[in-house]
């Protein structure tokens, strides 16, 4: 009991002590680090639909696996989930997300990680991405329509209705300025780890829109583990192997981040490229390739392998050596589904690969694409 009281006292006094300046290092070392995982959605809000698979279930499965792995990798770390079952805090989504942030704030979380899966109307879009809070003007003026995203809109705060002179906004801005380098440090580590397990690295997105991040007092980020709208990626992220590897990428990034908090120099490092442990020990290149995907949402040149009247699974055997690595580019007419390989910034680069591709697809040729469509 006495021990419990001391632990509780330390937990309460810690935030004050930490701000007391030099001489508190001993106490800092003894304080248990706290991580909060927030499996997105739950209860009446399933998140993004993908047939029988529900985003809320994927999010929870991965969060529980991250917790299990952290118990092994860093037993001294205190890990809490905002939900341990198919539940939510409030039927109102804004309130629900704010309460999740407040739960993490009460625990003085050293890091809070929102766990989500993504979707896009173009089924070739794929990859993992990490969102961090940003309150700079460019981001504030960003038009959310342009983001071309759906179904997670319910987790956004209403940018147009934020009173930028309000105390709440000023506080959020102050917190954001304070936490931004740490948030970015964690996000970078996580992106690197996503890449290492074969997910396409879509990078770090600065955003004001996530309600969870807006109300967090400590460092935090929100991840999208992949696209449920991409058939190959859905198969991967909903498989046991996929969940284990994704959780490995997340738990390794958390371990890296927590260690960096205790070593000031590392924490200040602005570039963690190459320094981050990866989650793929033991996974063969062939296995990683299973999760590799390509994305036609940008623009450039690609090599068209086949066209089809109907949509085809990118892992279909007809793609031979390119199974799972083709992307869908939309054309016109009845053969409008164009399955392509590679993404090149110039026609010359694409042509350099064409001979190799023609060994499997003799009629393949180079085309230009833009935003998921064939371009002239
Ligand atoms: Zn979500």
């Amino acid at each position: 009991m006495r021990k419990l009281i001391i632990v509780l006292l330390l937990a309460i006094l810690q935030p004050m002590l930490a701000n007391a300046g030099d001489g508190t290092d001993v106490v800092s070392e003894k304080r248990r680090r706290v991580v909060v995982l927030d499996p997105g959605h739950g209860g009446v809000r399933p998140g993004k639909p993908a047939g029988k698979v529900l985003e809320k279930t994927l999010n929870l499965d991965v969060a529980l696996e991250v917790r299990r792995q952290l118990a092994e990798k860093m037993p001294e770390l205190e890990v809490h989930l905002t939900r341990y079952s198919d539940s939510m805090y409030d039927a109102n989504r804004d309130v629900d997300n704010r309460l999740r942030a407040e739960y993490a704030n009460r625990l003085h979380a050293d890091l809070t990680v929102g766990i989500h899966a993504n979707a896009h109307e173009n089924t070739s879009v794929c990859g993992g991405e990490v969102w961090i809070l940003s309150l700079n003007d460019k981001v504030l003026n960003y038009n959310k329509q342009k983001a071309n995203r759906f179904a997670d809109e319910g987790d956004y705060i209403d940018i147009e209705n934020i009173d930028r002179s309000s105390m709440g906004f000023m506080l959020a801005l102050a917190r954001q300025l304070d936490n931004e380098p740490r948030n970015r440090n964690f996000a970078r580590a996580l992106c690197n780890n996503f890449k290492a397990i074969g997910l396409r690295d879509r990078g770090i997105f600065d955003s004001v829109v996530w309600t969870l991040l807006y109300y967090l007092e400590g460092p935090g980020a929100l991840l999208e583990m992949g696209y449920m709208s991409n058939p190959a990626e859905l198969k991967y992220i909903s498989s046991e192997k996929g969940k284990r590897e994704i959780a490995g990428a997340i738990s390794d990034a958390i371990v890296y981040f927590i260690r960096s908090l205790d070593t000031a120099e590392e924490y200040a490092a602005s570039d963690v490229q190459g320094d981050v442990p990866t989650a793929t020990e033991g996974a063969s290149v062939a296995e990683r390739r299973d999760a590799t995907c390509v994305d036609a949402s940008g623009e450039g040149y690609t090599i068209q392998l086949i066209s089809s009247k109907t949509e085809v699974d990118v892992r279909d055997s007809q793609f031979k050596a390119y199974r799972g690595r083709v992307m869908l580019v939309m054309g016109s007419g009845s053969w409008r589904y164009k399955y392509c390989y590679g993404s090149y910034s110039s026609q010359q680069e694409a042509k350099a690969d064409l001979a190799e591709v023609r060994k499997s697809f003799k009629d393949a040729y180079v085309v230009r694409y833009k935003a998921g469509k064939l371009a002239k």
Side-chain angles (χ1 to χ4, degrees):
M1 191 63 191
R2 216 177 115 196
K3 204 172 157 193
L4 181 71
I5 290 168
I6 293 170
V7 170
L8 281 173
L9 264 177
L10 274 176
I12 293 162
L13 288 174
Q14 175 56 30
M16 291 178 239
L17 292 172
N19 293 329
D22 295 330
T24 57
D25 290 1
V26 178
V27 179
S28 302
E29 271 170 29
K30 280 183 182 160
R31 188 201 162 218
R32 286 189 80 178
R33 293 290 187 184
V34 177
V35 166
V36 171
L37 306 171
D38 176 35
H41 317 286
V44 297
R45 295 191 304 117
K48 296 183 189 78
K52 283 181 190 158
V53 186
L54 298 175
E55 191 203 335
K56 64 176 182 180
T57 314
L58 276 183
N59 297 343
L60 181 60
D61 287 353
V62 169
L64 287 167
E65 176 62 15
V66 171
R67 181 167 168 263
R68 195 193 64 74
Q69 292 184 13
L70 284 173
E72 281 173 12
K73 291 175 184 171
M74 204 175 224
E76 69 276 22
L77 188 66
E78 207 177 295
V79 182
H80 300 269
L81 268 64
T82 54
R83 63 180 179 96
Y84 292 86
S85 61
D86 183 14
S87 60
M88 59 186 173
Y89 287 72
D90 197 285
N92 177 308
R93 64 197 173 206
D94 298 332
V95 177
D96 187 32
N97 285 305
R98 182 168 51 77
L99 290 175
R100 291 170 194 236
E102 286 174 1
Y103 171 79
N105 294 343
R106 275 199 304 281
L107 291 164
H108 302 292
D110 294 286
L111 178 69
T112 301
V113 184
I115 298 175
H116 288 254
N118 223 333
H120 195 285
E121 53 209 355
N122 178 341
T123 57
S124 75
V125 175
C126 56
E129 61 200 48
V130 186
W131 292 74
I132 57 176
L133 184 70
S134 183
L135 294 171
N136 68 47
D137 282 348
K138 195 173 145 220
V139 176
L140 281 169
N141 296 328
Y142 151 96
N143 177 354
K144 68 178 169 182
Q145 296 310 114
K146 280 187 190 152
N148 197 14
R149 311 165 72 81
F150 57 94
D152 251 344
E153 293 222 30
D155 287 340
Y156 295 168
I157 52 174
D158 188 353
I159 309 166
E160 283 76 27
N161 281 333
I162 293 179
D163 174 6
R164 292 179 205 178
S165 62
S166 72
M167 186 55 101
F169 181 79
M170 293 300 163
L171 274 172
L173 183 64
R175 289 197 297 261
Q176 196 268 326
L177 289 173
D178 192 35
N179 292 328
E180 201 269 346
R182 272 167 286 188
N183 297 343
R184 201 170 289 283
N185 193 23
F186 171 73
R188 228 178 246 133
L190 186 52
C191 284
N192 278 0
N193 289 357
F194 275 162
K195 201 160 39 185
I197 60 170
L199 281 177
R200 183 171 184 274
D201 174 18
R202 294 175 57 85
I204 303 171
F205 291 78
D206 289 11
S207 172
V208 70
V209 294
W210 299 101
T211 308
L212 174 81
L213 301 182
Y214 185 82
Y215 287 105
L216 274 187
E217 284 170 9
L222 188 147
L223 67 91
E224 299 276 7
M225 63 175 102
Y227 279 78
M228 297 176 70
S229 45
N230 180 307
E233 197 149 273
L234 177 63
K235 198 167 170 181
Y236 175 70
I237 63 182
S238 55
S239 70
E240 289 311 308
K241 175 175 169 282
K243 286 178 199 168
R244 218 171 33 243
E245 288 186 359
I246 289 165
I250 300 167
S251 61
D252 279 354
I254 291 173
V255 168
Y256 161 80
F257 177 82
I258 295 297
R259 290 208 177 114
S260 75
L261 287 182
D262 295 325
T263 48
E265 318 90 76
E266 258 184 88
Y267 153 71
S270 58
D271 189 358
V272 297
Q273 298 273 340
D275 279 323
V276 181
T278 61
T280 43
E281 283 161 63
S284 71
V285 172
E287 276 175 328
R288 284 183 213 180
R289 229 175 234 166
D290 269 354
T292 304
C293 59
V294 277
D295 169 359
S297 62
E299 65 180 302
Y301 294 85
T302 184
I303 300 170
Q304 183 178 318
L305 308 179
I306 61 158
S307 17
S308 168
K309 284 184 172 178
T310 53
E311 199 164 348
V312 181
D313 184 340
V314 293
R315 295 164 65 105
D316 194 276
S317 60
Q318 68 179 304
F319 293 116
K320 304 172 196 173
Y322 301 95
R323 270 178 79 175
R325 293 192 287 155
V326 295
M327 67 182 181
L328 172 61
V329 176
M330 294 305 292
S332 51
S334 51
W335 297 81
R336 59 179 170 275
Y337 297 92
K338 315 286 186 189
Y339 289 89
C340 305
Y341 168 74
S343 176
Y344 309 89
S345 50
S346 73
Q347 199 167 13
Q348 263 168 329
E349 280 176 65
K351 279 187 172 162
D353 275 1
L354 187 59
E356 179 62 33
V357 174
R358 280 190 171 157
K359 287 178 187 168
S360 306
F361 296 89
K362 65 179 173 55
D363 297 324
Y365 60 100
V366 173
V367 294
R368 208 168 90 73
Y369 71 93
K370 190 176 180 180
K373 291 181 180 139
L374 279 186
K376 291 284 172 296

